[in-house]
Amino acid sequence: MKNKIHVATAQFSPLAGNLGYNVKKICTILEESAQKNVQLVLFPELAICGYDLKLIDEGRGVFSEDGSGLNFLFNTCKNCKIAAIVGCCIQKGSKIYNSALIINEFGELIQIYDKQLLDAEEKEIFNFGEKTCVFKIHDWNFGIAISYDCYSLDITTKLKFLQIDAYLILGAFIKGGYYSFDLNHFALLAKEFECYVVVSNFIGSHGGLTFSGNSSIYAKNGDLLNNCFENFGVTYGILEKNIINSEATITLDNVINLELETIEEEKKINQ
């Protein structure tokens, strides 16, 4: 049994609808994280296409459930021997879901989780997910949520009894949203579950929304281990199963070195 795992949570600003740019950015983050011996990286909700419901409704950024068209991402995971949890829009038959791709260190798509708690606008596009998701990587049991799933008592109660080691939350939390981005909520989840909580969120603006950042990692007792605050970049942590508080948990310095993240550079790309 592996008692330690190196994880990272990525905080970046995608270009809405620019799938090539976003996948390349995600793969760059995976490659840089692998160089730091990270074993799993968490990305935000709909990271591949960006959180722009209008573009998604037009059919841009929708992938089939077998992951066709994402071989570059799968191969990066395989070549770097790193797992990735990536937000993506998935079509199953005639239905579209707001999903998370769960890719192991061998580049295999081992599961897809579909968001269960949709807001009013999302209901017009996506179908409701129905199943709780728990998966194993490096002998660690992970639970997963997409944004406001983690606020649902019904969803979180189901996960609590599955004895997960870490709870991964793919976020698209905005400034001034209906559910404000509440760091205390994630701390309380860690205490309640007695497990680590890892949150990934966007920063900057796209799709007409401004996102609140604060991608973060919490210890089992709710202590904040690391936070990206409102920076572009990746925050790292080494999680250990037999450690409860933050005093003996190793956290690594944030790496704020993602290129092509300024508004001016994004404008150049879109020209």
Side-chain angles (χ1 to χ4, degrees):
M1 180 179 292
K2 298 179 180 179
N3 289 321
K4 292 183 180 180
I5 187 167
H6 297 218
V7 302
T9 175
Q11 181 164 289
F12 73 109
S13 181
L15 296 183
N18 193 329
L19 309 183
Y21 170 87
N22 296 334
V23 171
K24 183 177 179 181
K25 174 63 66 179
I26 289 166
C27 291
T28 297
I29 292 171
L30 289 170
E31 289 166 352
E32 292 181 357
S33 298
Q35 291 174 6
K36 296 182 176 297
N37 299 315
V38 170
Q39 296 163 285
L40 181 148
V41 183
L42 178 68
F43 292 88
E45 176 180 1
L46 297 175
I48 290 177
C49 59
Y51 193 93
D52 189 322
L53 299 184
K54 181 180 178 181
L55 292 180
I56 293 171
D57 197 29
E58 294 173 355
R60 295 173 62 179
V62 180
F63 293 86
S64 62
E65 59 184 315
D66 64 359
S68 297
L70 292 171
N71 288 336
F72 185 54
L73 173 59
F74 299 146
N75 287 335
T76 298
C77 289
K78 179 180 178 180
N79 294 337
C80 294
K81 297 181 174 58
I82 191 169
I85 316 301
V86 187
C88 185
C89 186
I90 292 293
Q91 183 164 355
K92 302 178 181 180
S94 61
K95 297 181 178 180
I96 295 176
Y97 295 87
N98 182 341
S99 305
L101 305 179
I102 302 166
I103 309 165
N104 66 15
E105 69 274 24
F106 305 110
E108 300 167 337
L109 180 59
I110 59 173
Q111 283 195 54
I112 296 176
Y113 171 74
D114 303 318
K115 187 176 183 180
Q116 299 181 68
L117 186 61
L118 303 174
D119 66 25
E121 291 184 66
E122 291 174 340
K123 291 176 186 177
E124 298 297 318
I125 302 171
F126 301 114
N127 287 268
F128 288 94
E130 298 178 349
K131 296 181 180 179
T132 300
C133 177
V134 174
F135 62 94
K136 180 173 287 189
I137 289 179
H138 293 298
D139 291 329
W140 279 65
N141 290 318
F142 293 96
I144 192 168
I146 298 178
S147 285
Y148 302 128
D149 285 347
C150 71
Y151 285 87
S152 166
L153 182 61
D154 180 54
I155 295 171
T156 55
T157 299
K158 290 177 182 177
L159 276 176
K160 180 180 178 181
F161 292 102
L162 294 175
Q163 297 182 323
I164 57 177
D165 298 306
Y167 192 20
L168 307 179
I169 301 170
L170 298 83
F173 299 104
I174 62 174
K175 292 185 175 181
Y178 178 75
Y179 293 97
S180 60
F181 191 93
D182 186 358
L183 296 177
N184 289 330
H185 177 70
F186 304 123
L188 290 172
L189 281 175
K191 290 181 182 179
E192 180 70 18
F193 281 47
E194 295 182 345
C195 75
Y196 294 97
V197 171
V198 183
V199 184
S200 181
N201 194 30
F202 294 122
I203 191 63
S205 300
H206 70 271
L209 300 171
T210 300
F211 297 88
S212 55
N214 282 292
S215 298
S216 45
I217 303 173
Y218 297 83
K220 297 178 185 179
N221 67 345
D223 286 352
L224 179 63
L225 300 178
N226 225 341
N227 193 319
C228 256
F229 300 104
E230 295 193 14
N231 299 302
F232 295 102
V234 183
T235 190
Y236 303 98
I238 300 176
L239 314 185
E240 190 167 354
K241 287 186 178 181
N242 59 356
I243 298 297
I244 295 176
N245 58 39
S246 61
E247 293 180 358
T249 302
I250 302 172
T251 58
L252 307 178
D253 291 339
N254 291 346
V255 176
I256 312 300
N257 63 352
L258 301 186
E259 74 282 6
L260 303 176
E261 294 291 6
T262 67
I263 294 174
E264 291 76 15
E265 286 170 329
E266 289 182 2
K267 287 180 179 177
K268 291 178 182 178
I269 291 173
N270 285 321
Q271 286 178 350

